[in-house]
Structures are given as structure tokens and as C-alpha cells.
């Protein structure tokens, strides 16, 4: 691909990549840092990528950077008291979206990345495995564990929220 195609693509996709990064890391500033690093890596690999591979490569880099950053934070015990900006995504009320985002922050980083790629970006198990560089079995188990953790966190926060099998 030509280097002249790089800037329009990044300008067009930056907001979506930032939302993806935010959902994985839970912090707007961190999300901006992740996207900036991903764009730099994308630029370095631009000559090797084909047009269909750019989006997948960007998702993969953002996801892996977010997981690495979460591991570093947990090693050094960083604590953040900032609340994310309030933005509504998907269906439901803004309060529900905020509850899910808050609960998502309590899910371990690897499981959170799988959940975001599977349910926010609507990637298949195989596409998620490829984006994260893990096996499909790992995607399935991390997804199941992540959903269970998310369900536990949401039920603890609001008893009115029920998992599909618990609804009557």
C-alpha cells in the first residue's frame, strides 16, 4: 500500500480505535496512548500490510498493548480514581452502559480484551484468537470466565440485572 493512503485511513479509524482501546483499558488517556503507539507501529509495518489486513493488525496491536499495560499496572500497583467520560454505546440506557463499563474494568485484562473483541467488535472466535495471538480454545475459556466475572460484578451492583438463564 502507498504511504499516501496512511493518513486518511488513520484519521477515519482513530475514533473507533480509541473506543476499542477505552473498552479494553477503561481509561481515555490510556486509550489515546494505546492508539498513538498502535499508529506508530502501523506506520512502521505499512509496507508489509495489505488493505484487508490493516484493521486486524490495528486491533491486534491495541489489544496486546492494553494487556501488557494492565500487567505492568498490576505489577506496580497503580490505582486510578478517575471516572471515564460518560458516553453511551449500544442499546440501553446510559446508566446501563456505564454499569457495564464499570464492571468491565473489574474483569482481568486478558478476559476483558476477549469480551470487547467478541461482543463490542462482534469478531468470531477465530478472528479474536488471531487478533490476540492465542488459540480458539483459550478465547472460549477466557470468554466464559470473563462473562461469569462480568455477570457476578453486575449482579452485585444491581440485583435487577439477570443473566439470560436466570430470567423468567
Amino acid at each position: 500500500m502507498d504511504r499516501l493512503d496512511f493518513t486518511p485511513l488513520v484519521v477515519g479509524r482513530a475514533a473507533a480505535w480509541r473506543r476499542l482501546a477505552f473498552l479494553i483499558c477503561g481509561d481515555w488517556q490510556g486509550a489515546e496512548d494505546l492508539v498513538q503507539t498502535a499508529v506508530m507501529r502501523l506506520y512502521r509495518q505499512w509496507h508489509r500490510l495489505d488493505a484487508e489486513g490493516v484493521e486486524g493488525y490495528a486491533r491486534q496491536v491495541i489489544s496486546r498493548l492494553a494487556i501488557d499495560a494492565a500487567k505492568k499496572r498490576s505489577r506496580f500497583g497503580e490505582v486510578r480514581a478517575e471516572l471515564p467520560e460518560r458516553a453511551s454505546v449500544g442499546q440501553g440506557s446510559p446508566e446501563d452502559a456505564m454499569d457495564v463499563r464499570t464492571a468491565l474494568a473489574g474483569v482481568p485484562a486478558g478476559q476483558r480484551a476477549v469480551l470487547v473483541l467478541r461482543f463490542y467488535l462482534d469478531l468470531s472466535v477465530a478472528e479474536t484468537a488471531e487478533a490476540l495471538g492465542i488459540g480458539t480454545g483459550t478465547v472460549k475459556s477466557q470468554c466464559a470466565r470473563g462473562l461469569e466475572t462480568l455477570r457476578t460484578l453486575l449482579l452485585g451492583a444491581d440485583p435487577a440485572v439477570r443473566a439470560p438463564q436466570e430470567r423468567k
Side-chain angles (χ1 to χ4, degrees):
M1 290 188 356
D2 191 336
R3 295 268 185 202
L4 297 175
D5 298 330
F6 181 79
T7 301
L9 177 102
V10 170
V11 168
R13 296 298 302 149
W17 291 341
R18 184 173 172 252
R19 284 190 302 274
L20 167 66
F22 171 75
L23 288 171
I24 295 173
C25 75
D27 172 31
W28 285 114
Q29 290 175 335
E32 289 171 0
D33 291 343
L34 291 173
V35 171
Q36 182 177 8
T37 303
V39 167
M40 290 186 318
R41 290 188 183 181
L42 182 64
Y43 186 77
R44 282 192 303 234
Q45 298 300 321
W46 191 252
H47 64 284
R48 294 182 181 168
L49 298 173
D50 62 353
E52 290 119 25
V54 172
E55 186 67 26
Y57 181 79
R59 284 193 303 253
Q60 181 180 43
V61 171
I62 290 168
S63 300
R64 288 182 179 175
L65 287 170
I67 291 169
D68 290 345
K71 287 178 184 176
K72 286 178 186 174
R73 275 194 309 274
S74 67
R75 231 179 293 157
F76 296 109
E78 182 179 336
V79 177
R80 294 188 177 223
E82 303 166 4
L83 294 175
E85 295 175 14
R86 247 189 118 147
S88 174
V89 292
Q91 296 178 348
S93 71
E95 292 79 18
D96 290 343
M98 190 61 133
D99 288 345
V100 171
R101 273 191 234 116
T102 301
L104 197 57
V107 176
Q111 295 172 11
R112 185 170 54 239
V114 168
L115 292 176
V116 169
L117 292 174
R118 288 280 293 128
F119 300 109
Y120 179 73
L121 291 182
D122 200 27
L123 297 184
S124 69
V125 170
E127 291 168 331
T128 302
E130 183 180 333
L132 296 174
I134 58 178
T136 57
T138 304
V139 169
K140 292 175 186 177
S141 66
Q142 292 293 302
C143 187
R145 288 182 186 130
L147 286 172
E148 183 60 34
T149 302
L150 191 60
R151 186 176 295 117
T152 300
L153 292 169
L154 286 170
L155 287 173
D158 182 6
V161 178
R162 295 279 185 251
Q165 65 268 26
E166 297 172 357
R167 291 185 185 145
K168 293 186 179 179

